[in-house]
Structure formats: structure tokens, C-alpha cells
């Protein structure tokens, strides 16, 4: 694991502890979630992707800023925001609960159901760090169809191959 990966893993550990202490539900998704499910780093990551409830956005901000994170929002943030810890960038996606308990990404004018079931309390470990992650089935479903942009599509294909090694 290179220095950048160690810093991202330290950020995952720090944010997990801070959000757990604040009582904020949160889940890894994206490339780092793949790594936690596989049990090893499978590729380099530009950032760490975390989902939390939209209603908890102020509690996320308070919990992270208290321990030294910097809030670095983008002008075009619609469904999430960003924080930096050292050199690690963490991008939060804020979700909402649908009327039937589904997890919804509240895109303006077109909310998208991410999962028909709650994300739950699944914890995975990687290099001594424990983190909550989205369920394996939800993660796999998100990697089944690669995104359109070439670099993102390559990541999705690599993640799908890595996830194929995980039983379940």
C-alpha cells in the first residue's frame, strides 16, 4: 500500500470513529468498499466515497470539523459535499429514506432508488481498520454496468472483477 492509500485508510478510520461517536449512520461505497469486501487494496483510489443520511449533514460537519477535517464543498454540489483530512479527499453522498424503506439518492427532479432495502450495519475490515460498507449485492449491482466516461468505466470493470472473488 502506498502513502496515499495509507492516508485514505487513516481517513476512513478517523471518520468512522467520529461518525460512530456522533451516532451518524454512514457507509463506504465505491472503490474502497470493494477493497473492504475483498479484504485487500485492489487498485488506487482518487478519493473515499461515503453515504450518509441527508438529515445528518449538519452532524457530519460538526463531527468531522471537531477533529480537524476541512469542509471543501464545490459550487455544484447537489446531493453531497466533500471534506479533506490531510491529503485524503472524502466525498459524501447524502441519501434519503423512501416511503417503503428504500435508500434514495435525492437528485433534483429525478430521485433515484439506490437500494430497495436499508443498507444495514455491515462492518468489514481491511488492514486493521473496521468500516461500515454498503451490502455486497448493492455494491455489485452498481458495478455491473460500467459508467460512460472511459476512466470511470475502467474502474468499474476492475471493481467488478475484484468483487467476483467474494463469495456471497
Amino acid at each position: 500500500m502506498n502513502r496515499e492509500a495509507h492516508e485514505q485508510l487513516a481517513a476512513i478510520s478517523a471518520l468512522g470513529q467520529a461518525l460512530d461517536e456522533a451516532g451518524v449512520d454512514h457507509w463506504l461505497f465505491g472503490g474502497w468498499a470493494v477493497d473492504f469486501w475483498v479484504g485487500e487494496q485492489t487498485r488506487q483510489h482518487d478519493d473515499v466515497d461515503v453515504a450518509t443520511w441527508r438529515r445528518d449533514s449538519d452532524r457530519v460537519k460538526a463531527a468531522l470539523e471537531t477533529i480537524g477535517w476541512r469542509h471543501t464543498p464545490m459550487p455544484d454540489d447537489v446531493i453531497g459535499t466533500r471534506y479533506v483530512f490531510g491529503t485524503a479527499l472524502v466525498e459524501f453522498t447524502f441519501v434519503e429514506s423512501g416511503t417503503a424503506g428504500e435508500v434514495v439518492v435525492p437528485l433534483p427532479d429525478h430521485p433515484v432508488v439506490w437500494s430497495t432495502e436499508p443498507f444495514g450495519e455491515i462492518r468489514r475490515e481491511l488492514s486493521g481498520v473496521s468500516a461500515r460498507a454498503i451490502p455486497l449485492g448493492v455494491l455489485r449491482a452498481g458495478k455491473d454496468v460500467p459508467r460512460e466516461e472511459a476512466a470511470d468505466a475502467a474502474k468499474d470493470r476492475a471493481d467488478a472483477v475484484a468483487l467476483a472473488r467474494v463469495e456471497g
Side-chain angles (χ1 to χ4, degrees):
M1 212 179 277
N2 66 20
R3 181 176 178 230
E4 182 179 36
H6 280 289
E7 290 179 6
Q8 290 172 342
L9 199 54
I12 291 168
S13 179
L15 81 83
Q17 183 175 353
L19 297 180
D20 284 345
E21 289 174 3
V24 174
D25 288 332
H26 57 283
W27 304 270
L28 287 178
F29 68 97
W32 275 108
V34 170
D35 293 353
F36 272 79
W37 273 103
V38 172
E40 65 183 52
Q41 186 180 8
T42 61
R43 64 175 175 81
Q44 298 296 102
H45 305 289
D46 300 324
D47 58 18
V48 177
D49 297 308
V50 177
T52 62
W53 297 115
R54 178 182 290 282
R55 66 180 178 258
D56 291 332
S57 62
D58 289 340
R59 291 172 56 203
V60 168
K61 182 175 176 42
L64 296 182
E65 287 183 346
T66 296
I67 61 168
W69 289 65
R70 285 188 340 244
H71 188 207
T72 57
M74 299 294 289
D76 60 348
D77 284 346
V78 174
I79 58 165
T81 195
R82 303 162 16 136
Y83 289 87
V84 173
F85 185 74
T87 62
L89 171 64
V90 178
E91 293 191 343
F92 282 85
T93 297
F94 297 128
V95 296
E96 295 177 350
S97 183
T99 57
E102 66 274 25
V103 178
V104 177
V105 179
L107 293 171
D109 302 324
H110 184 65
V112 174
V113 174
W114 188 351
S115 174
T116 57
E117 297 182 20
F119 284 163
E121 303 286 331
I122 300 165
R123 293 194 82 85
R124 303 293 298 176
E125 286 197 25
L126 176 64
S127 298
V129 174
S130 175
R132 291 174 69 180
I134 65 172
L136 181 59
V138 174
L139 187 58
R140 281 186 170 142
K143 300 297 182 177
D144 281 348
V145 178
R147 292 169 284 177
E148 291 182 20
E149 199 275 316
D152 290 335
K155 291 175 190 177
D156 290 342
R157 284 191 294 277
D159 289 346
V161 168
L163 287 170
R165 300 185 307 200
V166 179
E167 292 183 29

